[in-house]
């Protein structure tokens, strides 16, 4: 066990995966020599050489398209998109290609590739360094979508993603890279090195895709969330005193129906939280899943807390970000119903 | 200097060589020389010095926590400043984040730029955009996107519209050499070659794209200028640290466009002397002394030397100008800070966040704004 930041945990995952399997290659913009703008790939080129970790031209469609070709050959590329906000030029390669190659060739060709990208806000990054586009991936048949909330899970999930035989989108909440940000932007964040979830096993382990984690057990209400909002929800529960069961979904697709249904059936109440815009956000899918699976157990309408349906603003970041106050208000409201 | 109606295939050599006016001694020589008066050159020098002083102040303001982010144009000021002087009102720039010189040389108020950088109450973009993502239609400056290369093809579209409407406005697309790898760069060349609209396609080759050397975007074979040749687009490669050369080539390309002779691709060779932005430290990826060894020198120093040689400038006048410019910038900064800074405010009212998503807010945004209580 070593205490690590989420950046170090992600780096360690790639290091382990590259050591175990020569077919794992890592590339992206500024990823090789420099080691990535967030330093997630620092040292990998020095260790594994320029054939296995290298800089890509600034072309997201090129990065994903090349990864598809490599994966079809039999490699396991793990590529970085510098910010999730920059995936769109590569989106066609994901939606029309990577996601369907197994299906359209009836399993003749496959594309085991992982696309890592920092996601989410909270860093005053304005509209092009703050987006949460997870739904745009989860909506596509044939892509798996993963989003960890802490270093331990980040490493285990990333190794599982790289070893998975299908394309996996791996979203890294950048506001969590250095510590569990709970939405209280005016308070210092505890660094991961002083946090239990910063304990990361050395070497190889996986956190299986498709398995949620209960981050806080509770009896009053189930909170379904993921990424940065896990920590916001934990803060909201602590501050309101509502005995919430907080579930970190970890993987959005495949979704852990069992964990969701067991918890909501137990509590009878549910709040869903995502940082992304509201309309057609992943929270909407979660509400539908709860309605389908738990309708007769519900004692109150499900409530969602999300970002607003505007581009992500710069100066008004904290008016936009669904912080612990809004989540706390939802917890109280669902208890009153 | 080739005739403006030249065919691309007759000037292939200009895509592989470097057009210069100022030689190493500071003299203006060759076919592209002799286009600017002493007054125009002094004005150009002042513009570049203003950009540099502005950048230095704003960099410091960011370090002091007055805003979140900043990007300088250190070392490449001549490109935007000289290019701007060859444009006319009504023309449109589709700029990247590193052509603040277009605004400054165009006389755009420094205070307004700073208001944007501080996201303060007088920010014309109402605090929505990251610092340096300016926008001003009346100044021929299209709203900057944080997404690279997207605007290069938009410049082509704007120029196509100008052609459809039969007016003589021209568009200038801007892109960093690293971003030429994006699909949108190639789309721009295809559309420009198919429709031949009045557009100038500017590639600013400052050697670095964050940590990656220009070779990553092009391999080691061809020049960025030569990308235009396969599309039949006249392409020129220019010393981007030579104010006179930048101006002369810009003028040539813009008059081609103005006369409806079609697009031109220009590669400006320059050097990003500073960090990419306030988020990186170049000592992690390039030699510390690379900047001082850059063979094309510093654009401010080179123009200063040339003007001095012409008898139109001196150390004293330079020092005086520097002092004047610095106090102008400091004054502007004081005024801008009186309207607020990022973390201390004031900002545009928070409710404005919900405006301009659409021409009229639809019902869902009205409801969300009510829920937000702002
Ligand atoms: C589509 C997209 N991909 C990646 C980025 C991240 N990014 C911002 S600036 C930059 C480097 C750009 O280099 P270059 O085009 O050479 O311009 P320069 O910064 O040198 O002026 C990168 C990769 C982005 N903003 N947009």
């Amino acid at each position: 066990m070593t205490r690590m930041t989420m950046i170090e945990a992600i780096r360690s995952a790639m290091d382990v995966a590259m050591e175990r399997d020569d077919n794992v290659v890592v590339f992206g913009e500024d990823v090789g020599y420099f080691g990535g703008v967030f330093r997630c790939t620092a040292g990998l080129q020095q260790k594994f050489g320029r054939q296995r970790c290298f800089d890509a031209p600034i072309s997201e469609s090129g990065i994903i398209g090349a990864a598809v070709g490599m994966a079809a050959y039999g490699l396991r590329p793990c590529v970085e998109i510098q910010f999730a906000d920059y995936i769109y030029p590569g989106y066609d390669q994901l939606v029309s290609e990577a996601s369907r190659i197994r299906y359209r060739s009836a399993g003749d060709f496959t594309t085991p590739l992982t696309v890592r990208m920092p996601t989410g806000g909270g860093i005053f990054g304005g509209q092009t360094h703050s987006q949460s586009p997870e739904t745009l991936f989860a909506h596509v048949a044939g892509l798996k979508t993963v989003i960890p909330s802490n270093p331990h899970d980040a490493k285990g999930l990333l190794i599982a993603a790289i070893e998975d035989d299908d394309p996996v989108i791996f979203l890294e909440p950048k506001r969590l890279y250095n510590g569990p940000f709970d939405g209280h932007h005016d308070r210092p964040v505890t660094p991961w090195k002083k946090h239990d979830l910063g304990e990361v096993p050395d070497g190889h382990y996986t956190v299986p895709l498709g398995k949620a984690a209960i981050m806080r057990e509770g009896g009053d209400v189930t909170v379904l969330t993921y990424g940065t909002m896990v920590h916001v929800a934990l803060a909201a529960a602590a501050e309101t005193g509502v005995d919430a069961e907080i579930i970190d979904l970890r993987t959005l697709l495949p979704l852990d129906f069992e964990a969701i249904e067991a918890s909501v059936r137990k509590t009878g109440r549910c709040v869903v939280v995502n940082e992304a815009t509201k309309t057609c956000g992943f929270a909407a899918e979660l509400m539908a899943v709860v309605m389908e699976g738990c309708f007769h157990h519900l004692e109150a309408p499900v409530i969602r807390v999300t970002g607003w349906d505007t581009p992500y603003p710069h100066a008004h970041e904290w008016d936009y970000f669904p912080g612990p106050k809004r989540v706390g208000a939802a917890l109280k409201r669902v208890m009153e119903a | 200097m080739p005739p403006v109606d030249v065919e691309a295939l007759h000037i292939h050599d200009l895509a592989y060589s470097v057009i210069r006016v100022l030689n190493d001694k500071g003299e203006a020589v060759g076919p592209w020389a002799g286009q600017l008066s002493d007054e125009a050159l002094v004005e150009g020098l002042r513009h570049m010095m203003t950009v540099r002083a502005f950048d230095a102040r704003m960099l410091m303001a960011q370090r002091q926590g007055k805003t979140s982010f900043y990007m300088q144009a250190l070392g490449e000021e001549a490109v935007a400043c000289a290019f701007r002087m060859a444009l006319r009102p009504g023309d449109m720039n589709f700029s990247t984040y590193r052509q603040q010189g277009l605004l400054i040389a165009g006389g755009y108020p420094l205070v307004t730029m700073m208001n944007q950088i501080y996201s303060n109450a007088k920010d014309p973009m109402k605090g929505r955009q990251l610092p340096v993502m300016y926008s001003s239609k009346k100044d021929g400056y299209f709203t900057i996107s944080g997404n690279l290369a997207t605007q290069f093809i938009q410049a082509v579209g704007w120029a196509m519209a100008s052609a459809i409407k039969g007016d003589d406005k021209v568009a200038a697309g801007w892109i960093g050499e690293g971003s030429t790898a994006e699909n949108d760069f190639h789309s721009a060349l295809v559309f420009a070659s198919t429709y031949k609209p009045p557009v100038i396609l500017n590639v600013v080759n400052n050697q670095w794209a964050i940590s990656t050397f220009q070779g990553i975007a092009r391999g080691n074979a061809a020049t960025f200028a030569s990308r235009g040749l396969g599309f039949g687009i006249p392409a020129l490669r220019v010393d981007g640290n030579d104010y006179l050369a930048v101006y002369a080539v810009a003028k040539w390309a813009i008059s081609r466009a103005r006369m409806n002779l079609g697009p031109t691709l220009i590669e400006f060779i320059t050097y990003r002397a500073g960090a990419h932005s306030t988020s990186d430290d170049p000592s992690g990826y390039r030699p510390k002394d690379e900047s001082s060894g850059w063979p094309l020198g510093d654009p401010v120093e080179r123009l200063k030397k040339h003007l001095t040689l012409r008898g139109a400038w001196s150390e004293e006048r330079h020092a005086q100008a520097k002092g004047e410019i610095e106090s102008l910038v400091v004054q502007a900064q004081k005024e801008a800070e009186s309207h607020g800074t990022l973390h201390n405010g004031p900002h545009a009212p928070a409710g404005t966040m919900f405006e301009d998503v659409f021409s009229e807010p639809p019902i869902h945004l009205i409801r969300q704004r009510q829920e937000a209580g702002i």
Side-chain angles (χ1 to χ4, degrees), chain A residues 29-31 33-35 37 55-62 82 85-86 88-89 123-129 131 278-279 304 307-317 319-320 326 333, chain B residues 67-68 117 119 126-131 145-148 178-179 181-183 209-212 216-217 280-281 284-286 342-343 347-350 352-354 357 364-365 368 371-372 374:
Chain A
E29 296 160 19
D30 300 290
V31 155
Y33 183 81
F34 184 50
V37 296
D55 288 315
I58 303 173
S59 170
E60 291 75 13
S61 68
Q82 202 161 82
D85 315 59
Y86 303 139
Y88 309 114
I123 62 154
F124 277 98
Q127 52 193 262
T128 58
H129 305 91
Q131 295 164 35
K278 181 173 185 179
T279 303
R304 66 178 146 169
W308 310 117
D309 284 339
T310 75
Y312 203 109
H314 179 246
H316 301 115
E317 173 132 52
D319 297 298
Y320 181 89
R326 282 182 59 206
R333 197 146 57 87
Chain B
T67 191
S68 53
I117 291 164
S119 276
K126 304 184 181 175
R128 291 184 191 141
Q129 277 272 57
L130 204 62
S145 173
N147 296 62
L148 296 170
S179 306
E182 293 280 11
N183 296 3
I210 310 185
S211 74
T212 55
I216 300 282
D280 68 311
D281 172 6
Y285 52 78
R286 69 181 187 190
L342 177 62
H343 298 297
H347 310 295
T352 58
M353 185 170 81
F354 291 97
V357 183
H364 71 289
L365 282 181
Q368 287 180 28
E371 188 187 335
I374 49 180

